[in-house]
Every structure is written in structure tokens, then in C-alpha cells.
Amino acid sequence: MSTVDFEIWLNHFEHHDQHPSAVPPGLSDVLRPHERRLIARSIATFQLGEQSDGRHLMRAAQHFALARRVPALARIAELLIREERRHAAMLSVFMEEHRIARKSTDWTDRVFRFLRRLSGLEGYLHVLISAELIGIVYYRALEAATDCQRLKALCRVLVADELAHVGFESQLLLALRAERPAALQTLVRLAHRAFLTGTAVVVWLTHRPVLRRAGYGARSFLGACRSQHAFHLDPLNVGPSDFDLLSKTP
Ligand SMILES: [Fe+2]
Ligand SMILES: [Fe+2]
């Protein structure tokens, strides 16, 4: 665990907790009817995904912190859960002010919640980070798909926070992976890449209108999600084209 900078990450999350990212006031907040129709169901699904009581993550983190003697991890998990709740709240306020109905359930959300609970911290993080990596691509696409300045800024805030979550979780997952025999490392890497690809296909199929408006086709969207995965969790296999896909929408 020496390769994970727990103290640095703890400082990061404590700082963010005291100075949470926010959308600057005074931005234009016009969401035209056709945009509202385009994004309503899609943004409601992501808002639902940001909501979590965090009980399972908290339990898994506490168990791991005790077993590995890294007390900072339990506090980091607590702060990370709080930041996710802030994301859910920010999206919820935006939706409410634009008369977009919230969702109380969605089959993709139920599947994710079920999978996250199947195993300990490592399994939980593999599922969580998949959603976050794809979420980064999605929020960038949503930013590109709308002319609403407030929504654009909200997307940027979410992406910035999620990049930090992914940074921390990938460091921890890579450290855990490195403890395994080489053959098992390869298996875990490939299995996670397959899971991320499958999840990205589902997100493409269920959020196509927004992603298409941003300029994505199925192939370029999957490529962008896989580049995020390669950059953070498969660093030895990042090709030059992955860098092109990392920071922009088509
Ligand atoms: Fe989030
Ligand atoms: Fe996150």
C-alpha cells in the first residue's frame, strides 16, 4: 500500500469538503424547451446514480482500513460519499428549477447498486470507477450538448470532482492489483476492461440522444470511455490516439 498517497488524498478530500466546488453565480440559466426534452430522462438517471447512502462502501472501507492499517481510508471514503451527495444535490436543484422530474428508480441504477455490493472494497471500487469513467465522458458530452451556461458549468464541476475520485481509486486499485501474481493481474485488467466496455454499451443505448447531440457515434463514445479506462487503469497500454480522445468530445 506504500504506492498510495493516503495522506495527500485525505488532505485533498478534506479541503474539498471545506471548500466544495460550486457553479459560479450569475451565469445565464436558460434551458430551451427542446434541450429540456433532450436531456430530461438522461440527466435524471445520472442524478439518481449520484445518490447513495454509502453504507456498503463505508463498511468495506472501514474493514479494509483496519485490516491494512490505513486509518485515513475510512475518512477518505466518508468524504467521497459526501461529495457524491453534493453532486446529487446540485443536479437535483438544477432539475427542480427547470421542472425536470427526478427518477426514484432505473434498471441500470439497480444493476450497478447490486454489483457494487457483491464483494469487498476492491470489487466495489471496480464497479464505481467504471461508472465514474463513463460519467466523465457523459458529463463532457452533456456540456457540449447544451447552450445553458449554468448547466455547462455544472458539468465542468462534476467532471473536475470525478477526475479526482478516479485518480484516488485508480491508484488504490493499481496498488492492489500489483500485489497479485502476474497472470491474475492480466485477468483482472482484462475483466475490468470488458466490464467497462459492456457498461459503456448500455450507457450508449440508453443515453444516445444526448451523446449524439454532442457529436458522438457508438464507436467514438466507446473509444472515449476505453481511453479513460486505459489512461487510469491500464497505463502501460495507452496509445497516442487515447490521448486525443481523453479530453474532448468529437
Ligand atoms: Fe459524482
Ligand atoms: Fe465520484
Side-chain angles (χ1 to χ4, degrees), residues 146-165:
T146 180
D147 290 326
C148 174
Q149 295 304 310
R150 178 182 169 199
L151 181 55
K152 280 178 177 290
L154 176 54
C155 289
R156 284 197 291 272
V157 165
L158 295 172
V159 168
D161 285 351
E162 295 301 347
L163 281 170
H165 297 181

Side-chain angles (χ1 to χ4, degrees), residues 13 50 80 83-84 87 128-129 131-133 158 161-166 169:
F13 284 107
E50 297 278 2
L80 196 143
E83 192 153 272
E84 297 296 12
H87 292 173
L128 176 64
I129 202 170
E132 291 176 329
L133 290 167
L158 295 172
D161 285 351
E162 295 301 347
L163 281 170
H165 297 181
V166 164
E169 290 153 14

Side-chain angles (χ1 to χ4, degrees), residues 1-245:
M1 288 291 90
S2 58
T3 50
V4 183
D5 304 318
F6 285 107
E7 289 308 315
I8 290 174
W9 284 114
L10 180 58
N11 286 341
H12 165 86
F13 284 107
E14 292 281 12
H15 180 82
H16 262 235
D17 192 54
Q18 284 154 24
H19 308 92
S21 314
V23 175
L27 292 175
S28 160
D29 190 15
V30 178
L31 189 69
R32 285 176 295 189
H34 74 273
E35 279 188 47
R36 187 175 159 279
R37 280 195 299 277
L38 178 80
I39 70 167
R41 280 173 47 199
S42 177
I43 198 173
T45 305
F46 272 82
Q47 194 277 337
L48 185 62
E50 297 278 2
Q51 285 184 61
S52 169
D53 65 13
R55 261 183 309 175
H56 188 81
L57 173 57
M58 208 53 238
R59 247 198 324 268
Q62 281 166 346
H63 182 76
F64 187 96
L66 211 62
R68 300 291 192 119
R69 297 190 185 150
V70 279
L73 182 66
R75 176 69 177 154
I76 290 172
E78 186 186 339
L79 294 167
L80 196 143
I81 291 163
R82 221 184 276 180
E83 192 153 272
E84 297 296 12
R85 286 187 192 141
R86 277 200 298 274
H87 292 173
M90 281 192 287
L91 284 164
S92 176
V93 169
F94 176 84
M95 289 164 61
E96 204 170 301
E97 292 179 9
H98 289 280
R99 294 172 292 104
I100 295 174
R102 282 174 55 181
K103 280 190 177 184
S104 58
T105 183
D106 182 86
W107 72 269
T108 52
D109 185 65
R110 283 199 302 275
V111 169
F112 254 87
R113 284 174 202 272
F114 172 74
L115 291 175
R116 283 196 314 229
R117 291 185 190 128
L118 281 184
S119 59
L121 183 68
E122 191 176 358
Y124 188 105
L125 290 182
H126 270 120
V127 177
L128 176 64
I129 202 170
S130 300
E132 291 176 329
L133 290 167
I134 295 168
I136 287 166
V137 179
Y138 170 82
Y139 286 129
R140 282 182 176 146
L142 182 59
E143 180 190 348
T146 180
D147 290 326
C148 174
Q149 295 304 310
R150 178 182 169 199
L151 181 55
K152 280 178 177 290
L154 176 54
C155 289
R156 284 197 291 272
V157 165
L158 295 172
V159 168
D161 285 351
E162 295 301 347
L163 281 170
H165 297 181
V166 164
F168 167 67
E169 290 153 14
S170 59
Q171 207 177 75
L172 182 52
L173 285 171
L174 288 175
L176 290 169
R177 198 191 291 170
E179 294 176 354
R180 300 231 160 86
L184 197 54
Q185 288 186 33
T186 306
L187 194 67
V188 169
R189 184 166 59 78
L190 295 177
H192 189 234
R193 194 165 68 184
F195 175 74
L196 178 120
T197 304
T199 307
V201 168
V202 172
V203 171
W204 167 257
L205 292 173
T206 49
H207 297 270
R208 258 188 326 243
V210 172
L211 298 170
R212 277 215 172 107
R213 179 62 62 91
Y216 277 120
R219 188 185 286 264
S220 57
F221 176 68
L222 292 185
C225 293
R226 285 174 66 119
S227 294
Q228 285 289 334
H229 176 266
F231 184 77
H232 293 282
L233 283 160
D234 202 1
L236 294 178
N237 289 308
V238 177
S241 62
D242 290 317
F243 284 102
D244 293 340
L245 289 166

